[in-house]
Amino acid sequence: MPVVNPEKLIALQRRADGVRNICILAHVDHGKTSLTDALIATNGIISPKLAGKIRYLDSRPDEQLRGITMESSAISLYFSMSRRASAEEDPVQKEYLINLIDSPGHIDFSSEVSTASRLCDGALVLVDAVEGVCSQTVTVLRQTWVERLKPLLVINKIDRLVTELKMSAAEAYVHLSKLLEQVNAVIGSFFQGERMEEDLQWRERVEERVAAAAAREQEKAERKAAKSNAALDETDSETTTGAAGEFEERDDEDLYFAPEKNNVIFSSAVDGWAFTVRQFASLYEKKLGIKRSVLEKVLWGDFYLEPKTKRVLGSKHLKGRALKPMFVQLVLDNIWAVYEATTGGSKGKGDPAMVEKITKSLSLTISSHVIRSRDPRALLTAVFSTWLPLSTAVLVSVIEYLPSPPVAQASRLPALIDASPAAECVDKNVREAVVRFNADEEAPIVAYVSKMVAVRASELPQNKRKIGDSMTASEALELARQKRAEIAKTRKAAESENLNSVNGIAEALDSTQLDEEQEPEIEQPEDPEHLIGFARLYSGTLSVGDEVYVLQPKFSPANPHAAPEPRKVKVTGLYLMMGRGLESLTSVPAGVVFGIAGLEGHILKSGTLCSQLEGSVNLAGVNMGSQPIVRVALEPVNPGDLDKMINGMRLLEQSDPCALYEVLESGEHVILTAGELHLERCLKDLRERFARCEIQAGEPIVPYRETIISAAEMSAPRDKSLPRGTVMATTASKQITIRLRVRPLPSAVTEFIERNIGIIRQLYAEKKAQEKGGQESDNELGEIAEHEDKSNNAVRADLISIIDFKTQLQDAFAETASQSDIWPSVVEKITAFGPRRIGPNILVDVTGSCQKFLEEYQNQPPGSDQVDGSSRPEILTAKDFSDKITYAFQLATAQGPLCNEPCQGIAVFLEEVTVTASSDDDSSSRDMLGRLTGEVIKTVRDSIRQGFLDWSPRLLLAMYSCEIQASTEVLGRVYGVITRRRGRIISESMKEGTPFFTILSVLPVAESFGFSEEIRKRTSGAASPQLVFQGFEMLDEDPFWVPFTEDELEDLGELADKENVAKRYMDKVRERKGLPVKGRKLVRDAEKQKTLKR
């Protein structure tokens, strides 16, 4: 097909009904990019013979090298087809514009999937016919469900059923049926979860209405109303009952994939063929004399064709006859026959006579040189591309089944707007313009920028020379100079080869030096990176030169002028995304995916563009992105390149949806990435594109957590006169004595607090806002737990009140029946959560000197809670130090005593605070508050650490959930690698009908570096793991354990030959942070002068 002119694509953008915005989603190596190549070949951009090999949208060298997609990229395609408005009318040629986004399938780049899906209206979900539903398949299906995209299922790599698994057509049909059931089961689980949530909300509304009706009836009964009121009473009760109604069940029939609905495509992207049931129905319509609409319904399923009468039979009417299902007989048998005739299939040798028979029966025209070719793959591809071209089946299905932007926005956008922050404050005009797809120039402009893409300056359209343009005089002179220099170097190299004497070589070197002095090499100018926004316009028309407001993800329409206040930005350029290239645009209508320049420095990762500030909508506030877990400290090889590296890391943070850059308190520059592969890509981008300097990376910084448990064997308490974990400490000035006790928090309470971090954060913000009487705390709290190593599931959207939170927390404490005497009244005495005021540790004030966190706020005059009725207000009391004690608790839980990692699951009981009057008569105690503040903070922090170490300490390891698909031949090697890296097998299941096993395991993050590479090496590339951060898991081993009983000393000896893994992890972190490592010998056998490695 000839190359499509970009002007034609730009003209099609104005026809909204002919535009389709789709993304391709799948698990890694399920064939997304190969399928995209086949679609790109229809526009003449690449040759059809190179489809699946060139990987056109994988524009990065490392993507080509590894063979996987790392960045989502977009391209606009042209497609035309004949369509009839009705059965009686003649077909009319219609043109369509398809904006296609190819997304990665690797778990490390799942944030790229989120950015791609928000911009689209429909999705092609690919599933490997052999591997079936994998972990990332479930993730992308969930993404389509959350984003309310209309999915189209593509069962790819069906050729593997023929060539690898050697299945017959009947076996393949059974296998495909089970695969379809698996995909529908995933969709059904999403629907069931949403349905149960709606049912719960409905029941709560019914209970509220019944309770309100009962309250009204009781009130009227107390008033002893007259008979006239009794009639009114009956009317009210009837109205209430009617308002509650019955729960309306939603029909889920349209959600599932079924070939008869034409939302399933069967394909082999590598062989270039695909088909739908509708295609074969039209092929057999005349031959069988059955209407196409009827054939579409019976070609898939338990329907059989009677050979004699050509009637369609159900399974009940077979009467014992061994007939093949129609899908096998009419569809799969023909495809299997083509494979056997060309490549030999299971026989291993093709049949030229069979090929000729097939081409004649199908009326296919194959060129003679292809038929005579010795390459069976070329013949196979030629037959299928003529008979069942992949692009036709896919693009026709996309146009007929997936919605256009006006239809999609009417169904998708209301729910997305309602889920955005402060949805009730969105202007009515803005909502209607977005939902009703108002593309007028006067309509409000609303666009969503999903990510920033780094583009070299030389690749921008304005910097590229168009074909046919003439060069300027300076450019011609520079080109001539470069050509002369190349010719001179070639001649000198040829002359030096002909010189046999030393003098001749010396003369050649001298002449070379003279030439270099006469014409020094000119350094190539730097090619700077520019950031282009990857966006979708929902309403209005955006033109170059327009000014729009940039709304950050934390923007709320309820308080549009809150800091940081959105700024107006001028649009400096608009681009049509064409894969590896860009085309300039002057304006963009609604419903189009495009690139936008001018946002550099104004958008970090994602944002919303709006033409008005008051009543605007924030579409970036509900973006779903994975949290980075792997941290690495970076430094330049040359210290003088530090500024280059910092600027490069800032550019990387803006251009990568998942990468984060931060500076630690120690001054280290740290980059946070989603995984090991993502880290490699970020380092490559830093060195080659953004920083352009040599950068060395340290060892990955793995997060840990510290906790305590009550173990069976623990050392005796430090102070035997006090209960375990109790510490009495006095400040250096002897004025303040503090008694506190540290206890392990029940696991049920710890899990409850972790699940409700978002609620605690919101409660803290409301409390601070009430105390300050303003909105100042919103800005403070925006940064709380910004880089917390938790998934987005920890933050719940349905925030509850303080009373409900207290009730649920009390129930979590009540589950601990064995310690019911300790925890019953704890909830009312909780003063703070920590660390960072939201962590899974609690400070309990038994003395009553600190303000309680979970109490209803009452308006009191400032400082009223600081006066205890004493006639001498200058005398210090315990309440004067309440905030200092809380701050010390935050410090102690943020840096535990083991290796300065955050604590988890501890409760600190403040039992007594005694303040002794100062013996200095010249100054009052209140004048010494400044000095006592530091003493109290230090004393409380050290006391909590001492109480922590009185129990049996434990480390919590960050864990990956690992899924591996492997065949029986390499199963043992996979188990060996997992075991060596301290992994644990959770389950092992065999995929029915295939020789593949699915292995689920957990693996410590600290042991995961190099894991994927080792798995691939050990299995010769037959297995590839998918690692997903799962959370933290306790390592049940005391880092301070040493053998002390007679049996242990006898078995292990004094040096404990058994390695203490917890101590190894702890010492490694302490060494990285520059903390002293106890029990480590730098010198052994000093008389031999043998020094161990540091």
Side-chain angles (χ1 to χ4, degrees), residues 825-893:
S825 60
V826 163
V827 175
E828 298 293 339
K829 299 176 183 177
I830 293 178
T831 298
F833 294 88
R836 298 185 180 186
R837 295 177 283 240
I838 57 171
N841 306 288
I842 60 173
L843 175 63
V844 182
D845 178 27
V846 183
T847 63
S849 57
C850 299
Q851 185 180 1
K852 305 302 180 288
F853 181 78
L854 296 176
E855 68 179 0
E856 294 293 336
Y857 182 80
Q858 297 177 353
N859 292 324
Q860 297 177 356
S864 61
D865 58 341
Q866 303 292 332
V867 181
D868 61 348
S870 175
S871 59
R872 297 181 60 189
E874 68 275 3
I875 295 179
L876 292 177
T877 62
K879 289 188 177 182
D880 294 316
F881 299 99
S882 61
D883 56 336
K884 286 78 177 173
I885 294 172
T886 304
Y887 182 67
F889 167 75
Q890 301 292 343
L891 290 179
T893 52

Side-chain angles (χ1 to χ4, degrees), residues 452 529-531 597-603 651 654:
M452 302 297 287
E529 298 279 346
H530 293 274
L531 293 176
L599 305 179
E600 191 168 350
H602 299 280
I603 287 184
L651 274 173
Q654 293 182 59

Side-chain angles (χ1 to χ4, degrees), residues 878-921:
K879 289 188 177 182
D880 294 316
F881 299 99
S882 61
D883 56 336
K884 286 78 177 173
I885 294 172
T886 304
Y887 182 67
F889 167 75
Q890 301 292 343
L891 290 179
T893 52
Q895 293 185 339
L898 298 183
C899 50
N900 281 9
E901 290 290 316
C903 294
Q904 177 174 315
I906 68 170
V908 179
F909 291 81
L910 185 63
E911 296 182 346
E912 184 181 349
V913 180
T914 305
V915 181
T916 307
S918 174
S919 59
D920 189 358
D921 297 333

Side-chain angles (χ1 to χ4, degrees), residues 573-603:
L574 297 170
Y575 305 102
L576 177 69
M577 312 288 279
M578 291 298 293
R580 302 183 181 185
L582 301 171
E583 296 290 339
S584 294
L585 301 172
T586 55
S587 64
V588 171
V592 172
V593 177
F594 63 99
I596 178 171
L599 305 179
E600 191 168 350
H602 299 280
I603 287 184

